[in-house]
Amino acid sequence: MHLLVTEYQGASLECLNPQLPPGVTILKCEPPDLPQEIAQEVSGPAPQGQAPLQENPRDQAAAPGFNSARSQTSVKTEEAAAQALVPKEWPYLSPAQRNLCGNSAQEKLKNLYLKMDCLTQSKKLLKKWNKVLRHQEHPKEQCVYQMNAELGEAKSFHVQKCCERDCVPQVPCSTPVPVERTVAHLNTLKDRHPGDLWARMHISSLEYAAGDITRKGRKRDNTRVSELLQGLAFSGDSDVEESEPETQPALKKVKVSSVPEKTWTKRDIKPNFPSWSALDSGLLTLKSEKLNPVELFELFFDDETFNLIVSETNNYASQKNVTLEVTVQEMRCVFGVLLLSGLVRRPKRGMYWERSDADQNLVRDAIRRDRFELIFSYLHFADNSHLDQKDKFTKLRPLIKQINKNFLLYAPLEEYYCFDKTMCECFDSDQFLNGKPIRIGYKIWCGTTTQGYLVWFEPYQEESTVMAGKDLDLGVGGNLVMKFADVLLERGHYPYHLCFDSFFTSVKLVSALKKKGVRATGTIRENRTEKCPLMNAEHMKKMKRGYFDFRVEENDEIIVCRWHGDGIISLCSSAVGIEPVREIQGYASDEESPQISQPSIVKLYAECREGVAKMEQTTSKYRVRVRTKKWYSVLVSYMIDVAMSNAWQLHRACYPGASLDLVDFRRYVAHFYLEHNASLSD
């Protein structure tokens, strides 16, 4: 009988312990101990030469996952079970001992059925607590003690039933095992058994906790046991009797930001930037030289740029086994045809060589159509054997660098600059930009002056290319603004003032620009204000027009202002504040337009944000219409149009009272290139 119960308890041991999270120890529910006299009376004295029966260590754990159906198939009748309980050692026992054991076999089997009921109740309790421990809805230590308490109550109920049936005095149930004793017990088992054998003996998987006491999933269980071992932490000391401090559950790691919290105060800003006193000596030099439109255009497409285009075009043609041998003069004539296509539009490119008007006769006399088609088809700007695969625009990169260098070299030295995004028209592109005259094409980041002179541009690429080696806290837009600020600082460390919209603006960006000595102003989104306690936008809509709220960050001296004008707008600046507040004429549906208050920061942003819009207006009027099937031909046309716009901006600055309009300025350059090549051809 003792061997059968031990085997039953050992088989159900592995269904007791669920997969517990790290830091939660294994529970022990010990069966009640009988008094020594009663135990000897039931089992009888041990025979001589035989060691007394000892409890298996595996009997120390509770086993709630017993399968009742399996027990019914194993023991069909009480009589068969009684015969199965007869051990092999009975020939060595006395007749009195045999009678005593035979008479008590059926009673012990009934007690076994009572214990099965207790284990079924324990199984339900462990299933409930297994869900609690998995979801971790409560502290782990509290769950352990509550689970011990409920298991103790179930065991006490079983002891009471046994006492009522057999009228045998029972020892009261032991108190729940403390956590430190359980850890010390596992340490002892770990030292006694090599490897992870001790864990497989005393820790079972969740599969067995569900009631499956078979051994079919043993291989699968080895992996789960190993994962469970990684979550258990044991001390090096295996002494069970030594008291150790109770282990506390591991606290959840809380993200601590290294950036200190912002301190906001309601006052006006006190900027400490130096005043603007720079003198634009480059523009004075251009005024003194009295350059014509062709010379102004060739400030950007200079001899070095044309030589680059001619060299790469001839190199590409030779790689295709074509003898092109194009010259700089022929390349200028090709550019003349491209500039003229923005003024004189034709449905087909070949129609520029028909006899209909003076402009077409000029094209026919300047260059043959087949020669133009041959040069234009092999137009190239980079060596295909030295391309950067990470750069999407590597075939245009040499030309982009050269044009950007010339744009910056002759750019007017001004205090205010605008940074925004624009579009280069291309219907084959999948990029879309809402709110622009051209919405489909290649997106381009650009920085301009307040009058529309393009200082620097960069075609849009994926974030992985743009963010390489940059500050991740600023984002894509913030890093592009920082790059544009570095480009401006190459001309000299002046207190430039940059204006940009909410796509770029953040308190971190304004602070980073301030450290470089660059002032910044822009609209800002709600989630980038660093918890600035401004009035809610919905609440501000109920206030009268002209109402505004503002705060200043004490450490960086940055102001954030929210103003109710035609709509609710939030701005951030490091250089301009609220004062002076002026009264402006508001828009209203009735006849009388109200007077509303406008802070100084709103006035400055409204005046300086239109630089990119003015550049787009200029370049969109007379765009190059002749294109090829190559994807980058639209970008080449865009650079030609922007260079023409910048040259016209310099022309207006040099001749304020007698300047040409954009049509005459463009026609002058196109006719010069075509007529000059026609005279050389003659």
Side-chain angles (χ1 to χ4, degrees), residues 206-361:
L206 189 62
E207 178 185 354
Y208 300 141
D212 185 10
I213 60 175
T214 62
R215 298 298 184 270
K216 295 180 180 179
R218 172 64 69 182
K219 292 183 180 179
R220 239 176 1 209
D221 185 54
N222 292 340
T223 304
R224 288 194 288 266
V225 168
S226 301
E227 294 176 357
L228 179 61
L229 294 181
Q230 296 177 1
L232 295 176
F234 302 103
S235 61
D237 192 2
S238 61
D239 190 3
V240 180
E241 297 180 359
E242 183 180 357
S243 62
E244 297 180 359
E246 184 176 355
T247 57
Q248 297 294 335
L251 297 178
K252 212 172 186 179
K253 289 186 178 180
V254 181
K255 267 190 177 181
V256 179
S257 178
S258 59
V259 181
E261 293 186 358
K262 304 295 183 181
T263 305
W264 299 95
T265 307
K266 188 166 185 178
R267 62 174 178 83
D268 201 1
I269 192 175
K270 300 176 182 178
N272 53 358
F273 290 97
S275 59
W276 180 265
S277 59
L279 183 62
D280 190 359
S281 58
L283 185 60
L284 296 177
T285 303
L286 292 178
K287 288 182 178 180
S288 62
E289 292 179 357
K290 296 182 180 181
L291 302 178
N292 58 36
V294 177
E295 293 172 339
L296 289 173
F297 178 76
E298 290 184 351
L299 292 177
F300 312 116
F301 278 89
D302 53 2
D303 293 337
E304 184 179 357
T305 306
F306 276 115
N307 288 329
L308 171 68
I309 300 173
V310 169
S311 175
E312 295 299 338
T313 301
N314 289 328
N315 184 26
Y316 178 69
S318 62
Q319 292 176 0
K320 299 296 183 180
N321 298 323
V322 176
T323 304
L324 188 61
E325 296 181 356
V326 63
T327 63
V328 174
Q329 182 58 39
E330 284 182 313
M331 189 60 65
R332 285 193 172 98
C333 182
V334 170
F335 271 60
V337 176
L338 297 179
L339 291 173
L340 187 63
S341 67
L343 301 173
V344 181
R345 302 183 183 182
R346 291 290 181 266
K348 294 182 179 180
R349 189 162 56 197
M351 296 179 66
Y352 286 101
W353 281 265
E354 294 179 355
R355 295 178 179 271
S356 61
D357 55 20
D359 290 329
Q360 293 182 1
N361 292 335

Side-chain angles (χ1 to χ4, degrees), residues 528-560:
R528 298 181 183 177
T529 57
E530 300 291 338
K531 301 180 180 179
C532 181
L534 295 176
M535 179 182 290
N536 188 284
E538 296 297 329
H539 188 199
M540 186 171 287
K541 288 180 180 179
K542 302 176 182 178
M543 310 297 291
K544 65 176 183 179
R545 294 176 61 186
Y547 183 84
F548 56 88
D549 190 15
F550 57 93
R551 296 292 188 278
V552 174
E553 208 284 314
E554 293 292 341
N555 298 327
D556 296 331
E557 199 66 22
I558 295 174
I559 188 172
V560 177

Side-chain angles (χ1 to χ4, degrees), residues 53 110 210 443 513 528 622:
L53 295 177
K110 294 178 181 179
K443 188 185 298 184
L513 289 173
R528 298 181 183 177
Y622 311 104

Side-chain angles (χ1 to χ4, degrees), residues 121-289:
Q121 296 297 329
S122 301
K123 170 187 172 181
K124 294 180 180 179
L125 291 174
L126 283 177
K127 278 186 177 180
K128 180 186 76 172
W129 284 106
N130 183 28
K131 294 180 180 179
V132 174
L133 290 173
R134 276 186 170 183
H135 295 285
Q136 296 184 0
E137 297 175 354
H138 306 283
K140 299 178 182 178
E141 296 293 338
Q142 181 181 355
C143 294
V144 168
Y145 286 113
Q146 290 182 6
M147 185 158 52
N148 268 322
E150 293 189 11
L151 289 174
E153 292 177 1
K155 188 164 65 174
S156 300
F157 178 78
H158 166 68
V159 171
Q160 183 180 359
K161 289 294 183 180
C162 292
C163 293
E164 293 176 358
R165 180 179 179 86
D166 301 332
C167 297
V168 179
Q170 300 290 337
V171 180
C173 179
S174 60
T175 58
V177 182
V179 178
E180 58 270 12
R181 287 184 55 191
T182 307
V183 175
H185 178 65
L186 291 176
N187 279 328
T188 306
L189 296 174
K190 181 180 178 183
D191 295 338
R192 290 179 182 176
H193 301 282
D196 56 353
L197 179 61
W198 63 276
R200 295 193 179 94
M201 294 172 59
H202 300 277
I203 302 175
S204 66
S205 67
L206 189 62
E207 178 185 354
Y208 300 141
D212 185 10
I213 60 175
T214 62
R215 298 298 184 270
K216 295 180 180 179
R218 172 64 69 182
K219 292 183 180 179
R220 239 176 1 209
D221 185 54
N222 292 340
T223 304
R224 288 194 288 266
V225 168
S226 301
E227 294 176 357
L228 179 61
L229 294 181
Q230 296 177 1
L232 295 176
F234 302 103
S235 61
D237 192 2
S238 61
D239 190 3
V240 180
E241 297 180 359
E242 183 180 357
S243 62
E244 297 180 359
E246 184 176 355
T247 57
Q248 297 294 335
L251 297 178
K252 212 172 186 179
K253 289 186 178 180
V254 181
K255 267 190 177 181
V256 179
S257 178
S258 59
V259 181
E261 293 186 358
K262 304 295 183 181
T263 305
W264 299 95
T265 307
K266 188 166 185 178
R267 62 174 178 83
D268 201 1
I269 192 175
K270 300 176 182 178
N272 53 358
F273 290 97
S275 59
W276 180 265
S277 59
L279 183 62
D280 190 359
S281 58
L283 185 60
L284 296 177
T285 303
L286 292 178
K287 288 182 178 180
S288 62
E289 292 179 357

